[in-house]
Every structure is written in structure tokens, then in C-alpha cells.
Amino acid sequence: MIDVKHLKKSFGENTVLESIDFSVQKGEVVCLIGASGSGKTTLLRCLNLLELPNYGSITIGDKAVNFSGKKLDKKEMKELRKYSGMVFQGFHLFPHKTVIENIIEAPLIVQRRKRDSLVIEGEKLLKKVGMFEHKDKYPDSLSGGQQQRAAIARSLMMNPEVLLFDEPTSALDPQLVREVLRVIEALAKEGQTMVIVTHEMNFAKRVADKVFFMDEGYIIESGNAKDALETPKKQRTKEFLQLLSE
Amino acid sequence: MIEWFKNIQWEHLYDPQLAWDSLPFLLDAAKITIFIALISMFFALIFGLFLAMARMSNFWFLRWPARIYISFMRGTPLLVFLFILYYGLPVIGIQFDSPITAGIVGISLNFAAYNAEVIRSALMSVPRGQWESAAALQMGYWQTMRRIIIPQATRIALPPTFNIFLDVVKGTSLASVITVHELLYGARLIAGRTYESMTMYITAALIYWVICIIIGHFQERLEKRYNRYLNKT
């Protein structure tokens, strides 16, 4: 489903990702963990091409893109983005559109699908994430958890093969975290392929098939969730998990 | 002080009868004022949008001319610019078909620079996350601009844009010096004939005020419409 090879990303002199290699199978849930500044978010943004890697290749679904030196054209970027949906830490719903308008906007404009059928499909998705009764509200009148659930539904409307989550609960009050995690867990049970950047270790243990631990731009440890989180091999991973549990 | 007060000729302060009799003539002239203001603002907005885009462009050959143009227009008085257009250009063989055209061109070109800065700052104030979420949803640049960014920027730009519009309305009075028969020109004509300058200019000022009140009312309605999504169900 996802195959990343030799990925490198620098911002000027500052290298934030180096020699990243990993793959994700269809239906798998992968959690990216690590300290702030370790490169997790940049890696996730590279998968959606919100950041352009300097070197390496990314394959998602049938689309492979090689970044070695050449400039990527817009068509190629759009092609790769078709396979993934992104859920942001800050939700980024469109504030001037109601929840249902947010949900149907991209398929209406990008895929040029009919509004009536999109509304029916959108309402189904909103029911699934527990947001149906808020469909005609504007994002500003919703709680953070509700906005994030709407954002998840908005990504799902584009039928992505992979959902990418960038710290989906970090901007939420503790009592709102659970409602969002519940939606993500339900998606995992349905077999949705997902890559999730998170600091919620218990959630990662429950939901992830694989965990990648990142440090200073490298994936320094990976493996199945239980092993990597309960009996980590690398000292750096142990220290990080120890800090989180304190 | 008392002597100065005694010398005031109160009978010339305001002649309501003259004002009333002059009203039809002044209102006709006010129609020209409103016409020039509306057309000028329309072109100033369109040209201002292009200028703002050029000013934000990645290409220096668009960015720099836009920057210089905006700087020149904001740094020179409108009256001087109208003189250049109406009295200067004919010297080199370029002539407008009417003073109104010269007035509209002058006001549009001048206020486009102010609009460009308002539009630019409004576009830039839309959070980057809006661009990113639109890109992640596969929306292209112009789709994002049209559907996501411009509607949000419009809300932000409304109050300063209406301020510019009020300045445009008042700025049309400068066109009187290039013989455009607008409101101030009409008031000057009657004042010249009757020597009741105070009455005529106060009446003209009141008509400008009423026009601006109507525009202000229109602004409030538009702002309400564009603010409807802020913390409301």
C-alpha cells in the first residue's frame, strides 16, 4: 500500500528526515512516535506532498513518485494525493461552510460529482462519526472533538486508500480526546489503512499493528506495537517511553 | 472676541429656501457623483485584485512593477494625478473624450493601489492551514482561491474596502477641478451666482453625508451576511 525508500528532507542546511525506509500493508495501522522535532510530522506531510522530499521515492497504491533531483509537476502531485487523506492537528475545517458543506466541497469541486448524491453520502459518513445532528452548523460553533470528527469525515469523503493523522488529539481537551480516538479505532476495525502521528501510547498499543519510533530524522526502531512499546530495544526509545509514563 | 462675534452675518449662514430650491439641481449633480464613485470603485476593485496578485507573485517581473505602481499612487495626491491626466496628457496628444472619463480613469487607477493593499493583507490573513487542507483534498490553486480563500478574505476586507469606497465618494469632489459636473461643481455654480457659498457648500456636504450613510448601511448588511458563520449555529 505504502512503500517509502531512502527518503530525505532538508529545510536549507537543516536535515529533518534521513534515509527513511518503510512499508505499510493494506489494512495496517502504523503509529509514528517520537519526541517533538524528531521528524514525525514532516514525514507524514511528505506522504501527502505538503512537504516535498529532496530525495527518495514514495509509492502509495499504484502511484510511485521519485524525488531524486527533479521538480515534481502538479499533475503528479495530484495523482499521489488521490490515494491519501490528511487529518490535521488543528482540524482546518473551512469556517465559512457548514459541516455538510465542508464534507461535500472537495468531491463536488474536484471530482465534479452530483450534489444530491454527495449530501446523502456525506450524511451517512456524519452518522458514522456521530456528527449528523451538527451537519448544518458552522465549525466555529463546534467543540474541538466535533470539529476533528467532521475533519475525519471530510477526508473519508474522498475515498482515500490511506488516512494520515497528524496528532489528531493534541489540540483537544482531555475529555474530548476519547470521542476522536473512538472514531479512529472504529476505522481501524473496518480495515482502513492509517498512518498516525500520536503521543497517546495506550491508544497506539490498542490500535496499531506497527509502531515506528523516530529520533532526529531517522526511524531508529520499528516493530509490532506491543513489542516496540513494552520491550523496546533502543536506549533512546526506552528513555522516551519512560518520560511519557512519568 | 465679542466684536468678532458681532461681525458674523448670521443671515448668510444658511438660507433654507435657497437650499430647497437648489435641491433638484444638486441631486442631479449628485447622480453624477454616485455614478463616478460606483464605476470607479468597480474598476478599482478589479484592478486592485490583479495588483494584489502581482504584488504577491513569485515572479519579480510582476511583483516589482506592482510594488512601484502601488507606492507611486499612494504617494501622490489624487488631484495632481487628475491634473496629469486631464491637463498633462493632451500636451502629448492624448485626450479623454470627456472630463467624466478622465475622472473615472484617474480615481480608478489611484484607488486601485489602496484596494490592492487591502486585498493583499486580507488574502494573507487567511491561515495557511486553509491552503493545506484544500491541497490535501486535491483542490487546485484557483479552486482553493475561489471557493476557500476569497470568501474568507472578503469578510476580512469588507470594513477597509468600504472605508476606501467612502474616500472614493468624497474623492469625486476633486473631479470638479477638471470640470466634471458633479455635486461640488453644482454647488459652486449656484454659490457663484447667488454669493450664498455657506448655504450651498453646507447643503453639498449634507448630501455627501447622506450618500455615505447609505453606503455605511449597505456595509453593515454585507458584514452581517459575511459574519454569519462566526460562532453561530
Side-chain angles (χ1 to χ4, degrees):
Chain A
M1 175 58 58
I2 302 180
D3 200 17
V4 174
K5 285 202 172 98
H6 314 308
L7 205 72
K8 183 183 173 174
K9 172 68 186 169
S10 309
F11 294 106
E13 300 277 290
N14 185 20
T15 301
V16 286
L17 293 177
E18 186 74 85
S19 307
I20 300 288
D21 288 272
F22 70 88
S23 61
V24 180
Q25 304 305 314
K26 191 174 169 60
E28 264 185 343
V29 178
V30 168
C31 282
L32 294 176
I33 59 170
S36 295
S38 60
K40 312 177 297 288
T41 294
T42 306
L43 175 54
L44 201 75
R45 288 168 64 85
C46 282
L47 293 179
N48 200 252
L49 301 183
L50 290 173
E51 302 292 350
L52 288 182
N54 304 102
Y55 189 81
S57 68
I58 295 175
T59 305
I60 304 181
D62 304 327
K63 183 69 189 170
V65 178
N66 202 315
F67 299 96
S68 309
K70 65 164 187 169
K71 208 183 166 197
L72 213 58
D73 67 42
K74 282 179 184 164
K75 206 178 155 195
E76 238 180 335
M77 286 171 81
K78 256 190 163 178
E79 277 291 308
L80 191 72
R81 278 187 181 141
K82 269 186 193 169
Y83 291 93
S84 62
M86 182 94 170
V87 177
F88 298 88
Q89 185 179 353
F91 332 126
H92 300 337
L93 290 173
F94 305 132
H96 58 301
K97 293 185 180 290
T98 62
V99 169
I100 189 73
E101 286 167 348
N102 262 279
I103 306 287
I104 67 170
E105 179 69 12
L108 191 71
I109 301 304
V110 178
Q111 298 171 340
R112 295 179 189 282
R113 290 167 60 194
K114 291 252 162 44
R115 175 180 279 272
D116 293 347
S117 60
L118 281 173
V119 170
I120 295 168
E121 199 179 315
E123 287 179 351
K124 267 189 203 162
L125 264 178
L126 288 175
K127 275 181 192 156
K128 189 171 161 181
V129 298
M131 284 293 294
F132 179 74
E133 64 271 33
H134 303 295
K135 71 184 173 77
D136 294 320
K137 290 181 181 172
Y138 287 99
D140 201 41
S141 65
L142 301 174
S143 72
Q146 289 167 337
Q147 288 192 53
Q148 194 60 295
R149 283 184 284 148
I152 294 170
R154 183 174 68 171
S155 289
L156 286 170
M157 268 304 272
M158 297 298 277
N159 294 315
E161 303 268 342
V162 185
L163 262 187
L164 309 171
F165 289 86
D166 182 16
E167 299 194 34
T169 58
S170 295
L172 302 178
D173 292 338
Q175 67 265 34
L176 301 175
V177 169
R178 198 176 297 165
E179 62 185 69
V180 173
L181 295 185
R182 214 177 284 148
V183 170
I184 300 174
E185 283 186 62
L187 289 171
K189 276 185 192 144
E190 285 175 17
Q192 172 73 52
T193 313
M194 294 187 278
V195 180
I196 306 167
V197 172
T198 185
H199 290 297
E200 303 277 342
M201 291 306 129
N202 288 329
F203 165 72
K205 260 185 226 171
R206 278 200 311 274
V207 83
D209 299 298
K210 278 193 233 168
V211 167
F212 297 152
F213 183 80
M214 293 193 68
D215 188 41
E216 294 184 350
Y218 292 88
I219 294 177
I220 61 165
E221 185 157 357
S222 62
N224 75 58
K226 202 169 174 338
D227 292 346
L229 293 171
E230 286 179 1
T231 52
K233 292 181 186 72
K234 294 274 170 27
Q235 186 56 31
R236 186 71 191 90
T237 319
K238 284 179 192 166
E239 285 168 10
F240 177 73
L241 293 173
Q242 181 63 35
L243 272 175
L244 279 183
S245 64
E246 279 172 7
Chain B
M1 184 67 187
I2 294 166
E3 197 60 28
W4 173 83
F5 197 73
K6 271 185 185 167
N7 283 341
I8 293 175
Q9 297 169 26
W10 292 104
E11 68 275 18
H12 291 295
L13 176 65
Y14 198 77
D15 180 349
Q17 189 57 49
L18 175 65
W20 180 253
D21 292 342
S22 311
L23 207 53
F25 182 76
L26 290 180
L27 288 179
D28 270 348
K31 281 183 201 162
I32 307 281
T33 291
I34 294 167
F35 173 76
I36 296 173
L38 282 174
I39 301 284
S40 300
M41 190 61 184
F42 174 74
F43 286 118
L45 273 174
I46 291 176
F47 187 39
L49 179 64
F50 283 110
L51 275 175
M53 304 283 238
R55 176 89 166 72
M56 292 189 296
S57 167
N58 290 329
F59 302 112
W60 66 267
F61 54 86
L62 291 175
R63 195 170 59 245
W64 275 99
R67 214 173 167 158
I68 292 166
Y69 178 89
I70 291 167
S71 168
F72 178 77
M73 286 301 182
R74 291 171 76 201
T76 51
L78 174 59
L79 187 58
V80 175
F81 189 59
L82 290 176
F83 275 19
I84 291 172
L85 289 182
Y86 195 66
Y87 298 116
L89 286 183
V91 176
I92 60 164
I94 301 170
Q95 201 141 11
F96 288 97
D97 59 350
S98 74
I100 289 187
T101 313
I104 289 172
V105 170
I107 295 169
S108 304
L109 290 177
N110 193 272
F111 281 97
Y114 294 93
N115 280 332
E117 286 300 87
V118 166
I119 292 167
R120 184 175 70 91
S121 60
L123 289 174
M124 285 172 69
S125 66
V126 176
R128 196 170 148 230
Q130 294 291 300
W131 283 99
E132 290 190 341
S133 59
L137 290 164
Q138 304 160 39
M139 293 171 78
Y141 177 83
W142 287 110
Q143 287 172 332
T144 307
M145 202 56 153
R146 193 165 56 86
R147 305 280 303 191
I148 309 302
I149 305 300
I150 289 179
Q152 291 183 61
T154 303
R155 186 185 70 79
I156 299 162
L158 268 181
T161 303
F162 269 91
N163 273 344
I164 292 174
F165 191 24
L166 296 183
D167 279 343
V168 167
V169 170
K170 291 179 282 181
T172 55
S173 61
L174 292 174
S176 67
V177 297
I178 58 166
T179 70
V180 175
H181 292 213
E182 47 70 67
L183 179 53
L184 181 63
Y185 190 89
R188 263 173 60 196
L189 273 185
I190 302 176
R193 222 176 289 152
T194 61
Y195 300 105
E196 290 291 348
S197 302
M198 199 63 173
T199 299
M200 293 323 298
Y201 293 136
I202 286 176
T203 309
L206 289 173
I207 295 174
Y208 278 115
W209 188 29
V210 170
I211 295 170
C212 290
I213 286 172
I214 294 167
I215 292 170
H217 179 69
F218 188 60
Q219 173 187 351
E220 270 176 35
R221 287 183 61 175
L222 262 182
E223 277 183 25
K224 259 188 199 158
R225 206 181 134 192
Y226 274 90
N227 285 340
R228 73 187 186 280
Y229 61 80
L230 293 178
N231 204 16
K232 282 177 194 154
T233 51

